[in-house]
Amino acid sequence: MGRGWVKDPHSGGVKIPEAVRQRIEQRIKTYANAHYAGKFNRIEVRFRGALCYVDAYLEPPEPSAGLLKITGETREQYFERQRNYSTHLCRLRYFGNEESWSLAFYTYSNERYEPSMFHNGTFYGKPEEAFDVGAVYLDH
């Protein structure tokens, strides 16, 4: 039996053109604001080559007196530090079609992006669908 070529949804890809970057960033932010309002302070979308990274900045919970003692911070310092800490939601890989990306979910247990399927049961989907997968981190 001969070897055949198999498309890997989690490697390769195509560099994302600037016009596509702008549209995708706007789509993701619009979707996040419409479906997850109040669950984050802001969303950041970054691009590198064929990859699109989506991060959220969350409102931190009220610190206990014990936590402030351990960190040696004032309440204000604690909030300032925590509000500037990003929560990685997901990474998308572009293959030349704005409606079909692959997805990697950030796992904090391994501190890396792991290949993931979309809720539709496939390895390809829209950026908004990828946000839904990563949005599990918005419920803290």
Side-chain angles (χ1 to χ4, degrees):
M1 184 170 178
R3 291 178 163 195
W5 181 82
V6 177
K7 182 176 179 182
D8 179 2
H10 302 291
S11 66
V14 178
K15 183 177 181 186
I16 305 167
E18 184 59 35
V20 173
R21 290 177 181 206
Q22 291 174 6
R23 284 192 299 272
I24 295 304
E25 180 175 1
Q26 187 59 49
R27 280 175 57 179
I28 290 170
K29 288 180 175 180
T30 298
Y31 184 81
N33 286 321
H35 293 86
Y36 297 94
K39 296 194 177 253
F40 57 86
N41 290 338
R42 75 179 196 274
I43 298 296
E44 183 177 287
V45 180
R46 301 175 285 116
F47 298 92
R48 183 173 181 178
L51 304 175
C52 171
Y53 297 87
V54 182
D55 298 332
Y57 291 81
L58 310 177
E59 185 62 25
E62 187 67 37
S64 67
L67 178 60
L68 294 177
K69 185 176 181 180
I70 291 169
T71 62
E73 297 172 308
T74 65
R75 182 178 178 275
E76 293 74 24
Q77 289 169 328
Y78 167 83
F79 276 115
E80 179 65 24
R81 179 175 56 82
Q82 289 293 316
R83 286 179 181 137
N84 288 309
Y85 177 79
S86 67
T87 300
H88 304 308
L89 301 182
C90 61
R91 182 188 71 200
L92 296 99
R93 186 177 300 270
Y94 182 66
F95 293 97
N97 179 344
E98 288 184 43
E99 302 303 314
S100 184
W101 301 65
S102 69
L103 167 67
F105 179 76
Y106 192 81
T107 60
Y108 280 88
S109 58
N110 295 325
E111 296 185 340
R112 65 184 200 185
Y113 291 95
E114 297 286 350
S116 181
M117 294 180 81
F118 285 83
H119 292 309
N120 65 16
T122 72
F123 286 113
Y124 298 97
K126 297 178 181 181
E128 295 87 350
E129 295 167 329
F131 192 93
D132 285 335
V133 173
V136 68
Y137 289 130
L138 299 180
D139 291 323
H140 67 281

